[in-house]
Amino acid sequence: MSVVVLGSVNHDVVCEVERLPGPGETILAAATRTNLGGKGSNQAVAAAKAGASVEFVARIGEDPDPALRKSLCEYSVGLEAVVEVPGTRTGTAYITVAAGENQIVVDPGANFRWESDAELDRSVAAEQIAAAEVVVAQLEVPIRVVRWAARHARRFILNAAPATDLPADLLRRCDPLIVNESELAAVTGHPITTPQEACVQARNLCLNGVPAVVATLGAAGAVWARRDGSAAVAAGYQPAPRIDSADSTGAGDAFVGALATVLADGADLPSGVAFATAAAALAVQSPGTHAAYPSRDQIIATLPAVPPARDPH
Ligand code: RIB
């Protein structure tokens, strides 16, 4: 199960509050903490803990931070393609967490400082991407670099977070495209309020050339759609187990990392989505990201609690 994750790494500054503030409002935090995050590093750790052999491709600042590399090494994430960019600082994410919900603002820093495509072609990352069973990217790095990775990947997964306009050539390579409700609404231009609506929009994306789509719906679970032959699209709805969420920050990353791992192992999309649903359900039960992500054994032990998949209609 070889997985390359190309993406961001951030220092997360997390404020716990009783409720999320409104526009123009000042509120007091009950507690603050810092941890390593970024959708890229989160997905790399989630995949490694789920059992994949993971190489991480990322850009960090020149500010010396041995804790960053040490922390990723502890989870056996390969760091040969994590490059320090002179004159920059590692990205920072400012996160507010309340009652299982969160708001995030990211200062990207080094995450947006990459070489040209020609230079990337000669990098160790290019060799790792060409060799990997699955390559995963998100959008906290420049879309130009994401497109470069997609062109070289044998199988490419895009977690389109944060949402932005996606070029058709990139969409055609996403197997699957993974989005949450708001990202699906941004990509399709249609608001999503139910699993049925999510399924309709996921199917429409497949009919328009995306090989497969997975939409995560928080406590409501996930829907998937997949091109099946030339014209048909298969689809399904995977409900989530009922659990009390302590912190949903990075739960989507736990889902993506776990799904990439089992797809690299040859699983089909429906069983991969069930596995990833179990991983995300475990991740939200503890605060933070990397430390909250489950091991492969924990995910497998939780699978019986995942409700059976249903017809989305
Ligand atoms: O998906 C959660 C992540 O988003 C956080 O770790 C934060 O760094 C932002 O990138």
Side-chain angles (χ1 to χ4, degrees):
M1 288 174 275
S2 62
V3 173
V4 167
V5 178
L6 181 146
S8 59
V9 52
N10 294 327
H11 291 296
D12 287 356
V13 180
V14 185
C15 282
E16 292 175 15
V17 293
E18 282 192 3
R19 61 178 176 77
L20 298 177
E25 189 180 12
T26 301
I27 60 170
L28 299 182
T32 60
R33 58 187 154 82
T34 58
N35 55 251
L36 199 57
K39 297 183 196 306
S41 91
N42 292 348
Q43 292 174 18
V45 169
K49 290 177 90 168
S53 165
V54 179
E55 294 293 342
F56 185 34
V57 181
R59 296 295 176 264
I60 58 175
E62 66 176 354
D63 35 328
D65 185 2
L68 187 154
R69 286 184 183 274
K70 184 166 172 277
S71 170
L72 291 168
C73 275
E74 271 167 18
Y75 297 113
S76 302
V77 171
L79 302 179
E80 204 185 338
V82 174
V83 175
E84 288 177 20
V85 184
T88 64
R89 300 184 69 79
T90 299
T92 306
Y94 301 93
I95 303 178
T96 311
V97 177
E101 286 192 305
N102 63 69
Q103 284 176 337
I104 304 178
V105 176
V106 176
D107 173 6
N111 293 310
F112 263 66
R113 297 286 300 278
W114 294 71
E115 312 88 292
S116 68
D117 285 8
E119 287 166 307
L120 287 172
D121 283 343
R122 297 190 293 273
S123 68
V124 66
E127 289 166 30
Q128 293 173 343
I129 285 170
E133 274 141 347
V134 163
V135 175
V136 187
Q138 328 74 35
L139 298 173
E140 287 182 335
V141 296
I143 200 157
R144 179 212 23 114
V145 178
V146 173
R147 285 167 102 172
W148 169 82
R151 282 199 300 276
H152 292 81
R154 283 150 65 185
R155 181 171 189 172
F156 181 70
I157 296 175
L158 177 63
N159 175 216
T164 189
D165 284 343
L166 297 173
D169 66 290
L170 183 59
L171 284 169
R172 275 197 301 274
R173 293 179 192 269
C174 297
D175 186 17
L177 171 73
I178 306 176
V179 284
N180 66 17
E181 300 106 309
S182 64
E183 291 150 3
L184 181 59
V187 172
T188 62
H190 293 275
I192 307 294
T193 54
T194 64
Q196 289 71 27
E197 287 172 357
C199 195
V200 167
Q201 295 308 327
R203 288 179 71 104
N204 283 344
L205 284 171
C206 290
L207 289 169
N208 283 303
V210 184
V213 175
V214 175
T216 59
L217 310 171
V223 299
W224 59 268
R226 174 184 66 195
R227 290 173 73 91
D228 215 358
S230 55
V233 173
Y237 169 42
Q238 175 60 67
R242 284 179 178 276
I243 31 114
D244 290 327
S245 169
D247 180 5
S248 64
T249 311
D253 300 327
F255 185 102
V256 174
L259 180 58
T261 299
V262 285
L263 292 181
D265 198 22
D268 63 13
L269 193 59
S271 55
V273 168
F275 185 87
T277 299
L282 287 162
V284 299
Q285 293 177 47
S286 315
T289 53
H290 299 184
Y293 294 159
S295 68
R296 186 175 188 82
D297 287 348
Q298 288 172 316
I299 300 171
I300 290 169
T302 300
L303 275 174
V306 175
R310 297 210 298 260
D311 187 287
H313 305 292

